[in-house]
Amino acid sequence: MQQEQTIKLTSLSTKGGCGCKIGPGELSGILASLPKSERDPNLLVGTETNDDAGVYKLTDDLALVQTVDFFTPIVDDPYAFGQVAAANALSDVYAMGGTPKTVLNLVAFPIAKLDPSVLADILRGAGDKVREAGATLVGGHSIDDNEPKFGLAVTGVIHPDRVLANAGAKPGDRLLLTKPIGVGILTTAIKRDKLSPEEIERVTAVMATLNRRAAEVMADYPVHGCTDVTGFGLLGHALEMAKGSGVGIVIDAAKVPVLPRAKELAAEGVIPGGTKNNYRHVEPSIDFAPSLDELDRFILCDAVTSGGLLIAVDGERAEALHAALLDAGVEAALIGAATREHPGRIVVRGGEEA
Ligand code: CO
Ligand code: CO
């Protein structure tokens, strides 16, 4: 028997999506306090870099790419929540240049409070995305929990020589972003009933889009570094790339695609707490053009859920990759470059200098 869903999924938690990540500052302190174990020589990418997934070499031409991601509801529609959570978890494999193969569902669900059909819809949404990715569900684990949470553990494969770390960017590379930002602000607006059904549909579609096409297209180009833009925001993830790669990064704010109404909503005070934390964390390493006001700066740090890939590609081939991505239906934009100057720092230009 289907009961009408009366409880808004997003009302069951205080934070949503990648915005519920523990902040980068707090997390690095905790991880640094743990004892280091001896390095397994087959571990190609581990916990010491801020990469999206771990990579473990099995043979000379095969490595595993492993990642796990789960969070609280970011949208009210359970099917869409399942799709977004799955697209987000799969994305970390794409960001390393890998191909997802198997997934495990991670479920926390208030089974006495919500109709079981809600969970069925979440799983159906995820299952459809997993199929679209060409991966196979092999199992999962569920617990009864007051706040619903959902995500996937994903295992993919990659050639050990083709791993794309976020630390590979080189001076002269140009940076492409494959989805618009502003997702944290818009999804916070969903919780506050400030979006029209069309606006909810648009931001949901952005989050539910797999990074599969983007990853397939970039595989044919001289890409030096890649990461996906999620909870730490565009500038947070770009800063990890700059620091890890030992390059400076320049971003043209005017070229960064932003979802409609993000600034208007931010001006109304619709800014997730995670976004402000991100801003505080990166601000000492960023030189913002004076023309960018505080709202512009928050938007560039906005905590994204299931964002696009941030790709550092050889400058000579950047226009060609951009065109190929657009051809493939990916909403990509050239947003900046990697430089030899100011390593480990980001310069954000405003519209007028661009
Ligand atoms: Co990631
Ligand atoms: Co992740």
Side-chain angles (χ1 to χ4, degrees):
M1 209 174 39
Q2 288 265 47
Q3 227 175 282
E4 208 194 323
Q5 191 201 333
T6 46
I7 305 173
K8 274 183 74 166
L9 267 191
T10 56
S11 73
L12 295 170
S13 72
T14 50
K15 296 175 174 181
C18 293
C20 54
K21 271 191 180 187
I22 294 177
E26 285 152 310
L27 194 58
S28 57
I30 296 165
L31 296 179
S33 73
L34 296 177
K36 305 266 174 290
S37 50
E38 211 181 300
R39 172 102 189 179
D40 181 330
N42 290 318
L43 183 63
L44 302 182
V45 178
T47 53
E48 59 286 298
T49 56
N50 294 309
D51 268 297
D52 300 292
V55 181
Y56 190 85
K57 187 167 107 172
L58 294 177
T59 68
D60 282 344
D61 43 31
L62 185 67
L64 292 177
V65 186
Q66 294 186 289
T67 181
V68 58
D69 240 302
F70 65 102
F71 46 58
T72 54
I74 184 84
V75 289
D76 289 309
D77 178 66
Y79 177 81
F81 173 45
Q83 284 188 307
V84 169
N88 175 70
L90 290 158
S91 175
D92 281 327
V93 173
Y94 293 127
M96 301 302 294
T99 305
K101 285 293 176 193
T102 59
V103 309
L104 298 160
N105 284 330
L106 298 168
V107 177
F109 192 77
I111 199 73
K113 195 155 68 179
L114 289 181
D115 193 278
S117 70
V118 174
L119 179 54
D121 286 342
I122 294 171
L123 295 174
R124 212 162 40 79
D128 284 351
K129 280 290 151 185
V130 169
R131 260 186 299 283
E132 188 186 329
T136 300
L137 174 70
V138 296
H141 183 72
S142 56
I143 59 164
D144 187 1
D145 188 3
N146 239 343
E147 277 192 357
K149 299 167 191 85
F150 179 72
L152 302 178
V154 185
T155 301
V157 291
I158 193 167
H159 192 288
D161 300 338
R162 303 220 29 153
V163 176
L164 290 177
N166 67 2
K170 295 188 168 76
D173 284 354
R174 291 183 70 192
L175 300 180
L176 281 145
L177 177 67
T178 68
K179 288 188 189 182
I181 61 169
V183 168
I185 291 167
L186 270 93
T187 52
T188 301
I190 296 179
K191 279 167 93 88
R192 301 195 194 164
D193 294 316
K194 281 174 178 276
L195 294 195
S196 70
E198 295 72 33
E199 287 162 345
I200 294 175
E201 210 172 289
R202 166 78 170 125
V203 65
T204 303
V206 167
M207 293 186 289
T209 298
L210 289 182
N211 282 326
R212 178 182 184 166
R213 289 298 293 135
E216 286 170 349
V217 172
M218 78 172 169
D220 294 332
Y221 289 80
V223 170
H224 297 143
C226 183
T227 187
D228 59 349
V229 174
T230 56
F232 302 157
L234 173 62
L235 292 185
H237 291 281
L239 189 59
E240 284 183 341
M241 183 178 269
K243 289 195 160 140
S245 308
V247 298
I249 281 180
V250 176
I251 288 178
D252 278 316
K255 305 264 172 66
V256 176
V258 179
L259 284 167
R261 284 194 68 210
K263 188 154 183 185
E264 176 195 330
L265 289 160
E268 289 170 27
V270 184
I271 302 170
T275 295
K276 292 182 179 168
N277 284 342
N278 287 343
Y279 176 69
R280 272 190 290 275
H281 181 71
V282 300
E283 196 263 319
S285 305
I286 316 267
D287 296 301
F288 287 100
S291 62
L292 298 168
D293 63 25
E294 192 180 42
L295 298 179
D296 296 322
R297 299 173 191 208
F298 280 147
I299 289 169
L300 291 167
C301 296
D302 188 33
V304 176
T305 294
S306 193
L309 300 180
L310 178 66
I311 303 169
V313 62
D314 192 306
E316 304 267 290
R317 300 287 290 144
E319 304 276 356
L321 173 54
H322 185 209
L325 286 166
L326 294 176
D327 264 355
V330 178
E331 287 183 69
L334 278 163
I335 63 161
T339 65
R340 206 171 298 280
E341 296 77 51
H342 54 86
R345 296 188 63 82
I346 298 180
V347 170
V348 185
R349 293 195 191 136
E352 74 291 347
E353 303 117 292

